[in-house]
Amino acid sequence: MRVPLEWLKEYVKIEATPEEIATKLTMGGLEVEGIEESDLGPVIDVYITPNRGDCLSMVGVAREVAALYGVPLHAPAPPPSSTEGPVSEQTSVTLDAPDLCPRYAARLVRGVKIGPSPAWMQARLEAAGQRAINNVVDVTNYVMLEMGQPLHAFDLDLLHEGRIVVRRALDGETILTLDGEQRVLGPNMLVIADGRRPVAIAGIMGGGDSEVSDATTNLLFESAHFNALSIRRTARALNLRTEASYRFERVVDPEGVRRAVDRACELLAAMGQPQAVEGAVDVYPEPQSPRALTLRIRRAAELLGMEIPSHMAADSLRALGFEVGTQSHGIEDALRVHVPSYRFDINIEEDLIEEVGRIHGYENIPETLPFGSTTQGGDSVQGRLITRMKRLLVECGLQEVITHSLTAAPTFDIGEEERYRVPVRNVLSTEVSGLRSSLVPTLLDVAQNNVRRGQHGLALFEIGRVWRNAGVEDGKLNPVEFVSVAGLVAGPLVEGGWQQGGKAPVADYYLLRGVLEKLFVGLEIDNVAFQRPENMSDQLQRFHPGRTSEILLAGHPTDGVLGEIHPRVATKLGLKERAYMFEISLAQVRRALPAEGPGYHVLSPFPGVSRDIAPRVLESVEFGMIAEAIRGANVDILEEFRITDLFRGAPIPEGTKSITVAFTFRASDHTLAEGEVTVALANIRSALEARCGATFAA
């Protein structure tokens, strides 16, 4: 906003250079972008943030300057009009849309002669960036710049029935605006109409059919308070921005409506024009209630980092037009502050503290060294776990990817889309039509894009939020949000050496299972198991039915899944290599973490003893069952075990397999004797015989 200093100093008497005023305003929160010279003298260009509509006026900026310099504000005070008088017999105002226009005031002036405005007014308007037109239009622009309240002047004789109706536009209704454009209106737009047709687009621009011209003798001055959101939407829809709409979009003072129209009549009379018709029409069905807030002095000191006595805080607020009283707030000193109507941006205690701080001067905050513990703050428990998991997965050779939470509907899911997916209400495109219910589809999209570009060795993971529809409550979807962890491997992950004839080993189920086991070992989660799903639910339909496992943590089932992507899905996506994936919710990983946190055990200095056995079991017996039986034997000296061989065929009967399991036994306090190892193996054999039906060769 352009502020001529000659005009500004009419309201605040200070002896300061333009540069000093600019610095003071900038330090007080109103950034000055530059200082220019005009025929009227220096003009400072002030950037007004959207929340400070009260400063889109000379009086508003002057109020800030007066508060910062600690001097009185001399705001214009026109003689107040009355709602009684002959004006009520000559015109009327009807509010058909009070939600969009809470207040509307009008005054009449008869016997006006249109001509140029005084030279001093023209000079001020031009210095502020407004072109002088005639005495009536210049008065409306002058009051808008002075008080921040846009006005409009109608030719009263061109208004049908001489009255005003504030209503929503009819669908397809048109109006010829002052810029000569015929504009088509809609039912969500507010118009100012007379007894027959629209004569202005409310808060934006007047109509050409009621424009003030050289032939005008009778005026109707309009001053109103409009809904800011309505003005913004209408201006955007019509691609029509004006100085008036700019202010209404940022909220003008509803209590300044009458004062502004009275000021316009005062200025016109000072030019030698007739006095306004006595009285004003002021329709204000629901007057704004004053707002009151409590400001605790101790709280202000905590936020500002400096002690400000209560009387100084009160003086700072009073200088800005706040009404301030004292009150007891428990055991604290506090101020009871009544917020002026033009400060719609003040809603909470912290807003008041900000006002006190900027008027007192941020530069007065003492410079102090930080104090207190440096260990405060930091990431959350979940955040630290995610960081830890990312590090472990990267150590396993996987690369992190980040995909968008808004996705298109997966074309390869069976039942998943309708049951779990959360749709977006206002869809911008089919590519972002819903929230992802799983990380599997988005990781597969990444794999597909890489394959299309000739990249076949993939090792990816992602940790991100997903959403699933948990049903319908009261006719509305009930989405549940949680964090999921997923990984994908496919194709050769290393180059083939000459020993393999140039052929590189490709990723498989066991490689990704090893990654998961390494992850859970790093998280110190014991008793991890993988078992065949009891049924292939909708969520598992994207995986191969014979190469898929459910993940068990700490002996408890989870929603985690590990397996090969179904060939149908891989073919549809154009994946040339078999792809393997896992996914599990972070919450279930957290539940399986040891309660006592990370720990360690001392390595034994004594040698270990290696033995192996080869139990024969039915084909239906999985290694997970064998591992569970071995753990169930409760052999204290068993350090680790692993599968080393799988054999089928003669002399083993058909339908039977032989699994070779290698064991390492070790004691922490002595060297094992052969008898101890023999007893341990006997206990393990007994457990396998009892729980898995295992047999052993003679």
Side-chain angles (χ1 to χ4, degrees), residues 342-401:
Y342 50 81
R343 291 304 303 271
F344 74 95
D345 59 312
I346 305 297
N347 296 294
I348 57 177
E349 181 183 28
E350 286 72 12
D351 295 333
L352 292 175
I353 295 173
E354 180 183 6
E355 296 300 295
V356 171
R358 67 185 188 86
I359 298 302
H360 183 73
Y362 292 134
E363 67 275 13
N364 295 321
I365 298 177
E367 296 181 3
T368 58
L369 293 174
F371 63 91
S373 173
T374 58
T375 60
Q376 294 179 353
D379 208 346
S380 64
V381 174
Q382 177 171 291
R384 292 195 296 271
L385 175 59
I386 291 175
T387 300
R388 190 177 172 192
M389 294 180 71
K390 287 181 178 180
R391 185 181 68 251
L392 290 168
L393 290 170
V394 169
E395 289 175 356
C396 291
L398 275 66
Q399 182 176 1
E400 183 181 10
V401 299

Side-chain angles (χ1 to χ4, degrees), residues 1 4 11 13 27 33 168 172 326 358 397 415 423 462 479 484 523 532 585 681:
M1 178 176 170
Y11 314 116
K13 308 300 182 182
M27 293 300 295
E33 297 183 321
R168 285 177 168 83
T326 59
R358 67 185 188 86
E462 180 174 11
S484 188
L523 297 176
R532 187 187 303 274
S585 73
L681 284 175

Side-chain angles (χ1 to χ4, degrees), residues 638-660:
L638 177 61
E639 185 175 80
E640 65 174 352
F641 64 92
R642 64 188 184 279
I643 183 173
T644 60
D645 191 26
L646 174 64
F647 180 78
R648 295 182 178 90
I652 298 175
E654 186 176 350
T656 304
K657 58 188 176 183
S658 174
I659 300 177
T660 302

Side-chain angles (χ1 to χ4, degrees), residues 611-677:
R611 295 286 187 273
D612 56 27
I613 58 176
R616 297 178 181 180
V617 295
L618 297 177
E619 285 286 357
S620 59
V621 177
E622 299 174 352
F623 181 71
M625 300 170 61
I626 294 175
E628 187 176 351
I630 293 172
R631 294 190 188 98
N634 295 322
V635 176
D636 293 337
I637 61 174
L638 177 61
E639 185 175 80
E640 65 174 352
F641 64 92
R642 64 188 184 279
I643 183 173
T644 60
D645 191 26
L646 174 64
F647 180 78
R648 295 182 178 90
I652 298 175
E654 186 176 350
T656 304
K657 58 188 176 183
S658 174
I659 300 177
T660 302
V661 183
F663 299 89
T664 299
F665 300 97
R666 193 190 310 268
S668 61
D669 56 355
H670 66 281
T671 300
L672 291 175
E674 184 64 30
E676 293 178 276
V677 176

Side-chain angles (χ1 to χ4, degrees), residues 88-284:
S88 60
E89 301 172 0
Q90 301 176 30
T91 189
S92 66
V93 173
T94 303
L95 284 187
D96 285 345
D99 56 324
L100 302 184
C101 178
R103 188 176 189 181
Y104 191 101
R107 292 200 67 181
L108 303 182
V109 182
R110 293 187 177 274
V112 172
K113 292 182 180 180
I114 303 300
S117 57
W120 64 267
M121 180 175 287
Q122 294 187 38
R124 286 185 174 182
L125 289 174
E126 290 172 2
Q130 285 286 335
R131 180 172 59 92
I133 298 175
N134 60 50
N135 51 0
V136 173
V137 176
D138 289 354
V139 162
T140 61
N141 287 334
Y142 188 90
V143 173
M144 177 184 69
L145 293 174
E146 180 182 56
M147 307 182 73
Q149 171 67 53
L151 302 178
H152 186 69
F154 296 102
D155 187 324
L156 180 62
D157 297 326
L158 297 180
L159 297 178
H160 288 270
E161 302 177 7
R163 65 190 183 96
I164 292 293
V165 179
V166 184
R167 60 173 173 81
R168 285 177 168 83
L170 304 177
D171 192 14
E173 195 168 26
T174 61
I175 182 175
L176 178 67
T177 48
L178 289 174
D179 58 359
E181 295 287 334
Q182 191 78 24
R183 302 186 184 276
V184 181
L185 308 177
N188 293 325
M189 300 177 182
L190 188 69
V191 297
I192 310 301
D194 58 15
R196 191 174 67 184
R197 73 206 191 287
V199 292
I201 303 174
I204 301 177
M205 185 176 285
D209 294 338
S210 59
E211 180 182 5
V212 172
S213 66
D214 293 342
T216 299
T217 58
N218 299 314
L219 298 174
L220 184 147
F221 277 123
E222 165 197 271
S223 182
H225 179 71
F226 297 116
N227 180 278
L229 182 58
S230 171
I231 299 299
R232 187 179 301 118
R233 287 174 173 171
T234 300
R236 183 183 298 132
L238 297 177
N239 193 25
L240 182 60
R241 303 282 182 174
T242 63
E243 287 289 336
S245 69
Y246 181 75
R247 285 165 172 78
F248 280 123
E249 287 179 25
R250 285 154 180 79
V251 186
V252 298
D253 179 12
E255 301 303 316
V257 168
R258 276 270 294 285
R259 190 163 53 250
V261 74
D262 291 342
R263 175 65 169 161
C265 294
E266 179 189 43
L267 288 171
L268 207 57
M271 297 178 190
Q273 298 293 331
Q275 292 286 340
V277 175
E278 185 180 350
V281 178
D282 187 2
V283 184
Y284 196 10

Side-chain angles (χ1 to χ4, degrees), residues 388 521-526 594 596-604 668:
R388 190 177 172 192
V521 167
L523 297 176
E524 300 189 3
I525 298 176
D526 296 327
E596 64 275 7
Y600 73 98
H601 61 85
V602 179
L603 296 177
S604 173
S668 61

